[in-house]
Amino acid sequence: MGLLKRLFGASDRGTAPKLYDAIVAAGRAPHWYLQGEVPDTIDGRFDMIAAILSLVLLRLESDPQAIAPSTALAECFIDDMDGQLREIGIGDIVVGKHMGRMMGMVGGRLDAYRAGLAGDGLGPALVRNLYRGHPPTDAALAHVETHLLGLRDRLAALPTAAVLAGEVPQ
């Protein structure tokens, strides 16, 4: 596969794969699904990873030097989701439709989380996007919002180079 990528000019994604792996690992942390009551399903895991990916992308958009690495990170997400869809049996004919929908969902989450961070908090965006409209208990929502806001603050405190190197603080 590496030979094919070199022959067809696939771009070097630098440290983006390492950063994406750290995002996925953070999204798989059990506390999101236990204390946070995020549904432990394919959709729930996608939503949690998308939430963390959104926070990382929002952090990176604050630095003009991170534009290319942000694009590489998005490409890692696309590759992973494409593989996940194929693994669960989605065929070639409809993978593109699913990918388009998933990218739209991530874009919507970016906008919703950006607005929530600038306004009244993440709660409404989390209920809509992470819990897909089924409100969790107050304690679960508070757990997720508190931990995501803490992650946002820890990412903001890191130099961009550290984030790009794959540091996603837990």
Side-chain angles (χ1 to χ4, degrees), residues 58-83:
L58 290 171
R59 164 59 182 87
L60 294 177
E61 79 179 9
S62 69
D63 186 340
Q65 300 285 343
I67 292 170
S70 290
T71 301
L73 180 60
E75 290 171 353
C76 291
F77 171 77
I78 291 166
D79 285 350
D80 183 35
M81 292 301 111
D82 182 88

Side-chain angles (χ1 to χ4, degrees), residues 29-49:
H31 72 92
W32 302 117
Y33 308 96
L34 298 173
Q35 293 93 337
E37 297 177 11
V38 173
D40 194 1
T41 62
I42 291 172
D43 287 342
R45 288 187 179 252
F46 167 83
D47 293 334
M48 197 65 244
I49 290 168

Side-chain angles (χ1 to χ4, degrees), residues 121-169:
L122 294 175
L126 292 173
V127 170
R128 185 176 55 256
N129 295 305
L130 191 60
Y131 297 100
R132 298 197 180 203
H134 301 325
T137 62
D138 290 343
L141 183 60
H143 175 86
V144 171
E145 185 170 17
T146 298
H147 280 77
L148 286 176
L149 290 173
L151 174 60
R152 186 263 328 252
D153 293 344
R154 290 187 299 280
L155 285 167
L158 288 174
T160 301
V163 175
L164 292 174
E167 288 187 37
V168 177

